[in-house]
Amino acid sequence: MSTGSAVVRVEVRVELKPGVLDAEALSIEKSLGLLGLPSVRHVTTARIYDLEFSGVSAGEARRLAETAVDRLLANPVIHRVTIRPAEPLVSP
Amino acid sequence: MSTGSAVVRVEVRVELKPGVLDAEALSIEKSLGLLGLPSVRHVTTARIYDLEFSGVSAGEARRLAETAVDRLLANPVIHRVTIRPAEPLVSP
């Protein structure tokens, strides 16, 4: 299969920057304490977007993922973004 | 530092099972097409919960994370869950 028709998967991880209030994480911390798991000291959350590209190289896929992040997936004021090749798919 | 006082971080990844409608992912696919990125063929989303434990071993932390998943973080009817040791923290 040529590079031009291969499927390339890129994982975009979007999380809140340190210092930005993560209300969901705080709610989970509180709930876990109430459920009897007080040893959970700290919780952070992140959102993963797994983007599957066709007809582009790995480098191009990464560049397109950066464009998608800039234009749709993240807010640079509050979000920290990590882009990396996605791990192979696992069966359910 | 003894195992008893070390900090153990566990990453819980919650995603929709195949076949369950991921409305957010579909919306992103459509939006990226409209924004001029039609080579994004497929999008999937996932939620990451990074749980930080203190005063427990790695094995115990995993067991506690499984309890947290069962009781709070995921719905076994629609969600597929992956639990693994969290990657080391990166600076912002």
Side-chain angles (χ1 to χ4, degrees):
Chain A
M1 187 184 277
S2 73
T3 309
S5 61
V7 167
V8 181
R9 289 173 54 248
V10 175
E11 182 184 282
V12 175
R13 181 184 175 118
V14 178
E15 55 203 317
L16 289 167
K17 286 182 178 172
V20 179
L21 182 75
D22 188 341
E24 186 185 3
L26 292 178
S27 169
I28 290 168
E29 281 175 25
K30 189 172 175 184
S31 299
L32 291 178
L34 293 171
L35 287 170
L37 287 90
S39 54
V40 178
R41 205 179 68 167
H42 186 59
V43 177
T44 53
T45 67
R47 191 84 201 157
I48 299 285
Y49 301 103
D50 208 322
L51 308 180
E52 191 177 301
F53 295 88
S54 58
V56 298
S57 68
E60 178 74 356
R62 191 188 169 88
R63 202 189 59 74
L64 289 167
E66 286 169 2
T67 305
V69 166
D70 291 344
R71 302 200 54 190
L72 184 69
L73 299 177
N75 174 352
V77 177
I78 58 168
H79 290 137
R80 180 169 66 185
V81 178
T82 314
I83 299 174
R84 63 176 180 185
E87 291 171 21
L89 288 173
V90 291
S91 52
Chain B
M1 187 183 280
S2 74
T3 309
S5 61
V7 166
V8 181
R9 290 174 52 248
V10 175
E11 183 184 284
V12 175
R13 182 185 174 117
V14 178
E15 54 202 318
L16 289 166
K17 285 183 177 171
V20 179
L21 182 75
D22 189 341
E24 186 186 3
L26 292 178
S27 169
I28 291 169
E29 281 175 25
K30 189 172 175 184
S31 298
L32 291 179
L34 294 171
L35 287 171
L37 286 90
S39 54
V40 179
R41 204 179 69 167
H42 186 60
V43 177
T44 54
T45 67
R47 191 86 201 157
I48 299 285
Y49 301 102
D50 208 322
L51 308 180
E52 191 176 301
F53 295 88
S54 58
V56 299
S57 69
E60 178 74 356
R62 192 189 167 86
R63 203 189 59 73
L64 289 167
E66 286 169 2
T67 305
V69 166
D70 291 344
R71 302 201 53 190
L72 184 69
L73 299 176
N75 174 351
V77 176
I78 58 168
H79 289 138
R80 180 168 66 185
V81 177
T82 315
I83 298 174
R84 63 176 179 184
E87 290 171 21
L89 287 172
V90 291
S91 51

